[in-house]
Amino acid sequence: MHVLGLHIIDISLILLYIVVILWLGKKAGEATKSTGDFYLAGRKLGKFYQFFLNFGNSTNADQAVAVSREIYRQGIGGMWIQYLVLFLTPFYWFTTYFFRRIRLTTIGDFFTERFKSEFLGGSYAVFILLMAFLGGGVGYMVAGKTMMAMTPKPIEKCTRGEQISIQEFNEYQKLKSGLDEGLTPENQARYEVLNEKNKRGELHSFVSYVDPIIFYFAYALIVGIYTMLGGFRAAAITDALQGVLIITFSLILIPIGLSKIGGFSGLHASVPDYMFELFGSVTMSEYAWYTILAMVLANLVSIIAVAPGMATAGSAKDENTARMGMIGGMFFKRFIMIFWALAGLLAIGLFAGKIHDPDLIWGFMTKELLFPGAIGLMLIGILAANMSTLDASSVSYAALFIRNLYKPLAPHKSEKHYLVISKFFIAFILLGSIWVALFVDNLLVLFKYMISIPAIYGAAIWLGFIWRRLSKTAVIIQVFLCVVIYAVLPNLFQSMDWARRCEPFLKETKAQVITVKTAALIEDVEKGRAEKVGQKISKSHFIEPTGIFFEDIVRSDPNDPDSPKMGLGRFHAEIWMMSLCGINFSHFRKAQLVAVRFFFDAAFPFVLLFILSFLTKPVPLKHLNRFYARLHTPVQKTPELDEKAVEESYRNPEKFEKQKIWPGSNWELLKFTKTDYLGFGGSWVLVGVIIFLLWLVISIG
């Protein structure tokens, strides 16, 4: 028996999961009495809950979908859209240390305390809360698209318009497969028309029963209820259950997919060998080594500005628990991502050219490969992965709103009052994210957008923890300029008709024909290009032009190849600014354009902060001494002992000078301890182990 394309067994499993997490949220709520309990679980979480809290909070289904969809498009190199965080993991050893030792509730509190500026604390809160809608919208979108891919309508139940869209998608894929060998003039003209429609999202491989709006509201209601009941404690408890489900959804496709394709040898016989290049082919991939490096640097600047970071670290009973929970949870996620990558390669071999939207690939594979019961487990796992991030982050956003925006305007209210307002704000965040999910349709664009945007504040946070000379005025000016370049101009220009049609902004890279040596596939043998699978042959690949300043350049009328061009997607203000300095980007490849943009995003805020700090007045010495005295004081075993230790440091801040790498300087970098060498150095060893395991998996067969 099926309802809207789902078997009754799958629906029953989903309903059971919902009942269980709501019950857990209710039980957690019984122990939540104050804002300290609600925002930070009373700072009492041990290593078990810290592990699953960090694993669940950092692991979204949209990340799994992003990895598999980019590998489906680009080969294994596409995994770096998410796997670049592997190289950031060792640095969590220090960010977690900063967040736990500073003993604050939100990153907005950091700006207020470090710079004695409620304005900066409030501006960070406003900025991050706007970003919160984007992050929540991504979670809704991925869960919705996966559900849609699992519930396709039979072609006979589609409207006439839907049937035409599906037929034109199939025609487009057939023509696209002939590009490398060349099309007749008539077919080339038809391809260009269909390609324009595809860029606009007008072609579909299927149509779903599911109405995304109804799905989004039901999803928000479930997350909202259990999070508002128990706050951060509920997030930690439910994340332990959801962690197991995340593991399930990450693994379940692999054995069935391998069985269907003929094992690892069948995988290599069905997927071109250049798609197994771990760091991407410079000519064939958007993820060359220098692109990955640029994205790593931009993300390294950004990671410290992610709002839940302060809450997850601050909820631990001490700094070592926070560090071990963070590193353990993060590295376990990196291990699980290997299976996401393998799923993407299986998608290429099994379903290449069958999906109109790569964001749908995970749901499509689930529908095609799994059976009733397993499909329900997959959908539960995806819901769990997104819920485990939404719950913790929504509590962090509520804390930001209350402490850095609401409380300064309405001080001296009761704890009960602030808890009630927090719960209303969680509902507001969850509902606002639905609006984003309805208007944003491309997961890749959002991920690239969200890598660099937090760097606007991330640079100031990094320097604020380690450099005394960083001034309040410098941060205010830097934040304003970066908001204009990273956020305002890209969104403004992509929404303004004159900018989208402005001739200088419509420049594209030059089309290229690339010849590569590659191992022959089953398809090549069938078409007479090779005598056997694995034989080395030469193949020509046509690389279409790509927009330099806009994500895509399309015809205003897709049916008229002579109609004027216009820009679609994000406007890359960073590249535009560099072009004003005389750099010609027309001969750049896509990978080079992406790299240039992210190198700019990583470096520009620091350049501004250093220059402006030397030109402006520093924060008063008395405030800085108190801030760094607290930062350098180890967290004690009990709240009473901890308070006593901090007070002693306030009275004698000079005692930390001998622990600094450069005593007497403005740099507040302490000498490495044995624990630091083991934690930071050991983390890099684990990075090597994960890369080796990944290489091993893609080399089998």
Side-chain angles (χ1 to χ4, degrees), residues 180-478:
D180 293 337
E181 297 176 1
L183 298 173
T184 65
E186 181 182 355
N187 284 343
Q188 182 66 39
R190 179 60 176 163
Y191 170 78
E192 290 175 3
V193 170
L194 294 175
N195 190 36
E196 293 294 319
K197 288 186 174 184
N198 189 60
K199 288 180 181 179
R200 293 165 176 270
E202 296 175 6
L203 305 185
H204 299 89
S205 56
F206 69 89
V207 177
S208 175
Y209 281 114
V210 171
D211 183 335
I213 297 178
I214 295 174
F215 177 83
Y216 294 156
F217 276 101
Y219 186 69
L221 180 65
I222 297 165
V223 177
I225 290 173
Y226 81 77
T227 304
M228 287 187 279
L229 283 171
F232 213 76
R233 192 185 306 275
I237 293 171
T238 55
D239 281 2
L241 168 64
Q242 289 164 337
V244 176
L245 294 170
I246 291 168
I247 297 168
T248 301
F249 105 80
S250 298
L251 301 180
I252 197 169
L253 287 173
I254 305 303
I256 300 174
L258 283 172
S259 174
K260 189 164 186 177
I261 206 171
F264 283 98
S265 59
L267 178 64
H268 281 268
S270 304
V271 179
D273 59 356
Y274 63 81
M275 285 193 164
F276 288 91
E277 293 183 21
L278 193 54
F279 288 96
S281 163
V282 173
T283 56
M284 297 297 295
S285 174
E286 293 178 17
Y287 300 97
W289 67 266
Y290 47 78
T291 317
I292 298 165
L293 175 61
M295 294 172 74
V296 166
L297 291 176
N299 215 359
L300 179 58
V301 180
S302 296
I303 58 169
I304 203 167
V306 177
M310 184 76 80
T312 53
S315 64
K317 63 182 181 181
D318 55 50
E319 60 204 59
N320 286 331
T321 298
R323 281 176 150 183
M324 295 306 295
M326 175 66 77
I327 293 297
M330 289 297 181
F331 269 114
F332 189 64
K333 173 191 172 181
R334 309 317 183 224
F335 173 72
I336 290 295
M337 289 170 75
I338 295 174
F339 298 97
W340 300 351
L342 185 54
L345 290 172
L346 288 168
I348 300 171
L350 293 170
F351 307 116
K354 296 182 180 180
I355 304 294
H356 69 274
D357 179 355
D359 292 349
L360 296 163
I361 191 61
W362 200 280
F364 187 83
M365 291 179 71
T366 298
K367 178 69 175 176
E368 293 296 312
L369 297 179
L370 299 185
F371 47 86
I375 291 176
L377 284 175
M378 172 63 78
L379 190 52
I380 290 171
I382 290 170
L383 292 175
N386 284 335
M387 287 177 176
S388 64
T389 301
L390 276 175
D391 54 18
S393 58
S394 60
V395 174
S396 299
Y397 299 141
L400 264 176
F401 174 74
I402 294 296
R403 294 185 60 83
N404 303 115
L405 292 175
Y406 184 79
K407 203 169 184 178
L409 298 175
H412 313 305
K413 300 290 186 181
S414 67
E415 287 282 287
K416 183 178 180 180
H417 174 84
Y418 291 129
L419 279 174
V420 170
I421 299 299
S422 295
K423 293 175 181 180
F424 274 112
F425 190 76
I426 288 172
F428 176 69
I429 286 288
L430 293 173
L431 292 174
S433 299
I434 294 176
W435 182 84
V436 174
L438 292 174
F439 287 93
V440 179
D441 195 49
N442 189 300
L443 185 59
L444 174 62
V445 172
L446 269 179
F447 266 115
K448 288 183 177 179
Y449 188 73
M450 294 174 72
I451 285 175
S452 57
I453 287 292
I456 294 171
Y457 281 89
I461 298 172
W462 277 113
L463 285 181
F465 275 121
I466 64 175
W467 191 45
R468 281 176 171 258
R469 190 60 184 81
L470 183 65
S471 72
K472 177 178 74 173
T473 306
V475 175
I476 291 173
I477 296 173
Q478 174 261 316

